[in-house]
Amino acid sequence: MGANSYEKPDYWSQKAFKEGYPARSVYKLQEIDKKFNLLKKGGNVLDLGAAPGSWTTWLLRQSAGKGKVVSVDLNPLAKDVKGDNLVFFQGDLLSEEIRNKLRENGPYDSIVCDAAPLTTGNRIVDTGRSKALVTMVIWFAEHMLKKGGNFCVKIFQNGDQQKFLQDMRKIFAQAKGFKPEACRQESFETYLIGINRLEDGFKQTGDSI
């Protein structure tokens, strides 16, 4: 049986290694930003589910020391992911303590999330877990994103992405699905993009997730 693209480094994995990124996923964010102008110059960015830190590393490089990059994950970032304008919290996004810390460092001009749930190999189970994760991440966009802010989150296809996009159109001027070129061919992941938050979503207190 032939090896699939997960079993050996592909073009994007090799490129990430050469350019000093922990993982190939960085090029997905790069393409999303190029197409949708996701980031705001000198803005504050929240990276949810950030480890090992490829997206955080790219965000730090793009920021050139301006604004702030706030990252959070259950696991630590890679040791070489550093920056004077980096704030990292290790913990659960469902934790009230973590949510309070993120509020204290907000509001944000952009919120991004490349996190994926623990997978089982069962498409139905994995898609359900992805839906739950996306629901949680959209909560952060609703409560911690500035007016005019932008958003992106990964979702497994067939995970009710059309329903999510309908809901996001109540929050953003534009909401679209997009699959970057850097996604593996056999992957069933895609991304939901929200552009131009219609109202200021930053709240010191608010509804629970």
Side-chain angles (χ1 to χ4, degrees):
M1 188 174 182
N4 63 33
S5 66
Y6 286 89
E7 295 175 328
K8 59 182 179 180
D10 63 1
Y11 165 79
W12 298 107
S13 297
Q14 294 176 30
K15 181 177 173 66
F17 177 77
K18 292 176 181 177
E19 296 184 356
Y21 293 106
R24 67 197 299 284
S25 59
V26 62
Y27 303 109
K28 303 170 191 176
L29 178 59
Q30 187 178 69
E31 187 177 347
I32 290 169
D33 181 55
K34 183 177 180 180
K35 184 173 180 65
F36 296 101
N37 294 315
L38 196 72
L39 303 181
K40 298 181 181 292
K41 190 173 182 179
N44 292 343
V45 186
L46 176 59
D47 184 4
L48 301 171
S54 284
W55 279 30
T56 292
T57 299
W58 190 80
L59 292 167
L60 288 168
R61 292 181 183 181
Q62 295 303 302
S63 73
K66 298 179 180 179
K68 181 165 54 177
V69 177
V70 180
S71 298
V72 60
D73 200 288
L74 283 169
N75 300 307
L77 298 176
K79 292 182 180 180
D80 57 349
V81 181
K82 299 177 181 177
D84 292 338
N85 58 329
L86 170 63
V87 178
F88 174 69
F89 299 110
Q90 186 171 350
D92 193 332
L93 290 173
L94 289 171
S95 159
E96 183 176 355
E97 178 185 3
I98 290 295
R99 293 201 306 270
N100 287 338
K101 288 179 177 179
L102 296 180
R103 283 193 189 98
E104 290 168 3
N105 281 272
Y108 302 96
D109 298 278
S110 305
I111 295 178
V112 301
C113 178
D114 191 44
L118 292 175
T119 55
T120 64
N122 182 309
R123 184 75 174 262
I124 295 175
V125 172
D126 294 344
T127 298
R129 290 182 176 182
S130 176
K131 287 167 57 177
L133 179 59
V134 171
T135 298
M136 176 177 63
V137 174
I138 289 176
W139 182 92
F140 282 92
E142 288 183 291
H143 290 78
M144 300 191 188
L145 196 60
K146 292 179 184 177
K147 183 177 181 179
N150 301 324
F151 170 77
C152 80
V153 60
K154 178 160 68 181
I155 186 173
F156 292 162
Q157 289 173 298
N158 298 322
D160 281 352
Q161 58 262 38
Q162 292 305 319
K163 175 62 168 61
F164 279 121
L165 287 172
Q166 289 176 7
D167 292 340
M168 287 171 59
R169 291 186 181 111
K170 301 172 185 176
I171 305 170
F172 298 95
Q174 298 181 59
K176 299 180 179 181
F178 180 67
K179 185 162 185 172
E181 182 182 349
C183 292
R184 297 182 189 272
Q185 289 186 353
E186 64 268 44
S187 169
F188 62 104
E189 68 182 22
T190 190
Y191 290 81
L192 306 179
I193 314 295
I195 302 299
N196 190 6
R197 177 80 160 89
L198 296 174
E199 298 178 359
D200 190 344
F202 186 68
K203 301 176 182 178
Q204 290 294 337
T205 61
D207 300 333
S208 60
I209 297 175

